[in-house]
Amino acid sequence: MVVHLCNSHRSSLTMLLYTTMPALLESFCGSQLPSQIRGSSNMITVIMRSDSSVELDGISLQFRATQTSSGISLTEGKNSLEGVVEINYQGVRGNICAKQWNNNDAQVVCQQLGFSGPAIATRIIGNGNVSWAISFVSCNGRESALEKCSVKNTGVCGTGERAGVICQVYESCANLKSAGVQESGNYFIDPDGVGQGESHFPVECDMETDITTGITIVGHDAEGKERVTPCQTPGCYSRVITYKAASLDQLRTLTSVSENCEQFVKLDCRHVRFLDGQWGWWVSRDGEQIISWGGANTNGGRCSCGEKGECANGITSCNCDANDDMWRMDEGAITDKSSLPIQEFQFGGTSDVPMAMAFHRIGKLRCWGTISEPPVLESCAALKEAGITDSGRYLIDPDGVDKGVPQFEVFCDMSSHAGITVIGHNSERRTPVSPCEEAGCYKRELIYPADLSQLNALTKVSQSCEQFVRLDCRHLRFIQSGWGWWISWDGKRMNYWGGADPSIGGCACGRTGTCSSPDKLCNCDSNDNIWRTDDGFLRDKTVLPIQAVYFGDTNNFPLEMAYHTIGKLRCRGQGIQNN
């Protein structure tokens, strides 16, 4: 084998493989590690060529001998790391029956082909008359060649599926490039590891744009320019995004192992309203409504021009909030990888056709770079103390790994001096109380992404926890009258509201003596025709989080009305767990 090197100022590095005659394999140049090279010779010759600008000290090579007497090869693959296994066995060249084909078998094939790293078994439907070289194979994954496994050939197969493999399945395209894969193309990745959690999925790898890392690209069905269907109310137009061959959970694992991720978004508009007044928004992978656009801070209520103070007509939010007769545009990259990928986007205010019109374009998800796996600690405060400073989603285990409750994922707000553990739920938006008359006849149960026992374990190891609550009301009876209450994490009825003294009950205004009626402990117990509000924080961490809220006395609609808003659970600091 002859390896021909050049320095970074020249245009080629030539690698030649000697068998009986020299044959050009590939060309390399630069400082990146080349992909693995397979050859049939046991000799290698290195030729280095350089001009006077660079003098190389030498070259380091690592090699491993593998048994190739079987004539094993991969066919029909999209790249050199995958395909249908074709083999010579006992004078027959053909495929392997995939009836009992598994990852251990695939591991042996990939090692025999000279590939290191994880391998995945695949099954490919036969394309006509299939010649079976092996009808049964069983490996433990440590054999040096397929022939050393338990192998049979009866010439028949109980399925039409042929054995295939995917060699070198890494967490991302960045990891593939670090392992030596330099060619752009379609590959399989498994961000949380082969055989763990989410399954592997195909992506596009850009290995050329950035010489330092591979870029993982995932497309979807909303990449083209699409018109917003005319409708009037806020968010009345909805476009749900379907990603190619990957679920939102699979893509969540990709963003978690990537240093950076982004998705480009663009809105062309005329005579519409956008973020100002919340006429449009996008939905994160976790279902959260995000009031911001590309190039701006998450949930800041602005587009890129609003962040820079450059929007049309002096508008502080977005160009598309100018709501005039000019065609305008808001575009930029969304880079909050804790929210990506985009699950859905919604717009409104386009019913006045042809004057009011809008078109959207949503780019592919792109992720690059690698991050080391953070430790699983008790809380975000513990992670912050351990030196992790980037806000995002992390796994925590409040009572310790492999003890008590299982670990679960949270959002860590690391912007303060101590990490804040944030847990969302399904009732954060302002929600109307359905009309009904009896006390507590309306019930809203909160669904969190973790069990209540897991969240209680978090409150125990935290110094403090809180949850914001708000009730907007008109002509209502509330807590003091016994018509409304909330339920603690362990099922106890709580007869006080945010900001109140739990031992006295009522609401925050009852504690400060500022309620609308002097004889009441809550504004919403006034039961009059004026819109009133009771809000504040619940901070007794022994009863948090809220399990459910109950209200009543809203049957005389529209005179009697109420809306509730329940905030996320937020825990700070590190406390001592009381057993």
Side-chain angles (χ1 to χ4, degrees):
M1 182 186 295
V2 175
V3 179
H4 185 183
L5 303 175
C6 74
N7 64 34
S8 59
H9 296 279
R10 297 180 65 88
S11 61
S12 67
L13 180 156
T14 306
M15 179 169 287
L16 297 177
L17 171 64
Y18 268 124
T19 51
T20 55
M21 291 291 292
L24 178 65
L25 285 183
E26 299 184 49
S27 296
F28 297 104
C29 192
S31 60
Q32 293 297 308
L33 181 69
S35 58
Q36 297 184 37
I37 302 299
R38 288 175 290 166
S40 58
S41 172
N42 62 352
M43 298 180 63
I44 184 169
T45 301
V46 178
I47 301 174
M48 292 179 286
R49 292 181 179 176
S50 172
D51 58 27
S52 59
S53 62
V54 176
E55 293 182 359
L56 300 178
D57 294 331
I59 187 169
S60 174
L61 297 174
Q62 296 181 352
F63 67 92
R64 181 178 60 186
T66 58
Q67 180 175 343
T68 59
S69 59
S70 59
I72 195 168
S73 62
L74 302 182
T75 64
E76 303 178 32
K78 294 182 179 179
N79 53 67
S80 61
L81 304 180
E82 64 173 272
V84 178
V85 181
E86 192 173 280
I87 190 171
N88 288 332
Y89 183 71
Q90 295 181 344
V92 177
R93 182 162 188 83
N95 299 133
I96 300 174
C97 178
K99 187 173 183 179
Q100 295 179 308
W101 186 247
N102 60 42
N103 286 352
N104 287 339
D105 308 325
Q107 188 74 43
V108 174
V109 168
C110 291
Q111 289 174 351
Q112 190 170 352
L113 289 168
F115 293 115
S116 60
I120 291 176
T122 60
R123 291 171 169 81
I124 295 90
I125 298 296
N127 53 0
N129 295 325
V130 178
S131 176
W132 300 112
I134 294 177
S135 56
F136 170 84
V137 61
S138 178
C139 305
N140 59 33
R142 297 185 296 273
E143 295 87 351
S144 60
L146 209 61
E147 293 90 333
K148 296 186 180 297
C149 304
S150 176
V151 180
K152 296 179 183 179
N153 183 23
T154 62
V156 296
C157 178
T159 175
E161 296 176 327
R162 300 170 294 163
V165 295
I166 306 171
C167 303
Q168 288 190 279
V169 181
Y170 284 89
E171 292 86 352
S172 66
C173 297
N175 293 93
L176 272 168
K177 188 163 186 175
S178 296
V181 178
Q182 303 294 311
E183 182 182 355
S184 296
N186 297 315
Y187 295 87
F188 280 88
I189 64 169
D190 196 339
D192 55 5
V194 174
Q196 306 292 324
E198 299 297 328
S199 61
H200 59 281
F201 56 95
V203 297
E204 177 187 350
C205 288
D206 176 2
M207 304 300 198
E208 301 171 1
T209 300
D210 190 330
I211 63 172
T212 65
T213 185
I215 302 174
T216 306
I217 304 173
V218 183
H220 55 78
D221 65 345
E223 297 172 22
K225 185 177 181 180
E226 297 184 14
R227 182 179 176 181
V228 175
T229 304
C231 63
Q232 185 55 32
T233 57
C236 54
Y237 170 87
S238 170
R239 180 64 160 92
V240 177
I241 297 177
T242 301
Y243 290 86
K244 296 178 181 177
S247 68
L248 292 175
D249 287 336
Q250 288 173 313
L251 297 180
R252 179 205 300 272
T253 63
L254 169 62
T255 62
S256 69
V257 302
S258 301
E259 185 176 6
N260 299 285
C261 293
E262 69 176 19
Q263 231 172 327
F264 177 81
V265 292
K266 180 178 180 180
L267 181 66
D268 295 298
C269 57
R270 184 179 68 189
H271 219 299
V272 302
R273 287 171 284 186
F274 188 24
L275 298 185
D276 189 13
Q278 298 187 15
W279 285 74
W281 57 83
W282 61 276
V283 179
S284 74
R285 68 185 185 209
D286 297 318
E288 182 179 1
Q289 178 178 308
I290 308 294
I291 310 298
S292 58
W293 200 237
N297 294 327
T298 303
N299 263 334
R302 295 186 179 91
C303 298
S304 178
C305 68
E307 292 288 337
K308 301 174 183 177
E310 300 174 350
C311 296
N313 299 340
I315 301 296
T316 60
S317 54
C318 302
N319 289 318
C320 286
D321 280 313
N323 197 21
D324 56 15
D325 298 336
M326 299 288 294
W327 273 103
R328 304 194 183 277
M329 176 183 67
D330 286 302
E331 65 177 353
I334 295 173
T335 58
D336 180 5
K337 72 188 189 77
S338 66
S339 299
L340 292 174
I342 300 170
Q343 177 181 165
E344 177 187 6
F345 46 92
Q346 296 182 240
F347 302 108
T350 57
S351 63
D352 188 14
V353 293
M355 181 63 69
M357 294 180 68
F359 296 86
H360 60 73
R361 185 188 297 271
I362 310 298
K364 300 178 180 181
L365 175 68
R366 306 171 70 89
C367 295
W368 63 93
T370 59
I371 58 175
S372 57
E373 193 70 21
V376 179
L377 299 180
E378 294 85 357
S379 64
C380 297
L383 285 167
K384 184 72 178 280
E385 186 173 327
I388 296 174
T389 58
D390 292 334
S391 296
R393 304 197 74 86
Y394 296 88
L395 286 174
I396 65 169
D397 197 335
D399 56 5
V401 177
D402 297 329
K403 300 178 183 176
V405 300
Q407 62 190 25
F408 57 98
E409 189 180 62
V410 299
F411 180 82
C412 290
D413 179 1
M414 301 301 198
S415 60
S416 65
H417 70 280
I420 302 174
T421 307
V422 183
I423 312 288
H425 56 80
N426 66 331
S427 300
E428 297 173 25
R429 300 181 186 180
R430 189 172 185 255
T431 305
V433 175
S434 301
C436 63
E437 186 57 31
E438 293 77 15
C441 54
Y442 170 89
K443 175 186 177 182
R444 178 68 170 181
E445 185 175 1
L446 277 60
I447 306 299
Y448 299 89
D451 293 338
L452 294 173
S453 59
Q454 291 173 303
L455 300 182
N456 176 249
L458 168 64
T459 64
K460 287 181 178 179
V461 300
S462 301
Q463 186 177 22
S464 64
C465 294
E466 66 182 22
Q467 211 164 353
F468 178 80
V469 292
R470 176 185 176 108
L471 182 66
D472 297 304
C473 58
R474 184 178 66 188
H475 218 296
L476 202 72
R477 287 170 287 183
F478 188 29
I479 282 182
Q480 187 176 358
S481 305
W483 288 72
W485 59 87
W486 60 278
I487 301 297
S488 68
W489 78 274
D490 55 353
K492 296 177 182 177
R493 173 170 166 171
M494 301 288 112
N495 295 309
Y496 67 95
W497 200 236
D501 185 340
S503 63
I504 298 175
C507 302
C509 67
R511 186 173 188 172
T512 59
T514 57
C515 294
S516 54
S517 298
D519 60 332
K520 303 297 183 183
L521 296 177
C522 293
N523 291 316
C524 286
D525 274 309
S526 296
N527 199 22
D528 56 18
N529 296 329
I530 300 174
W531 275 101
R532 304 192 184 279
T533 298
D534 286 306
D535 62 9
F537 287 92
L538 300 170
R539 291 195 167 100
D540 181 359
K541 70 188 186 79
T542 64
V543 296
L544 292 176
I546 299 171
Q547 182 180 153
V549 292
Y550 290 79
F551 304 105
D553 195 26
T554 58
N555 196 48
N556 189 13
F557 180 86
L559 178 62
E560 297 175 337
M561 294 179 66
Y563 296 85
H564 63 74
T565 306
I566 313 296
K568 303 175 189 286
L569 175 67
R570 299 175 180 269
C571 293
R572 297 173 171 83
Q574 299 184 73
I576 300 176
Q577 183 172 351
N578 297 318
N579 295 319

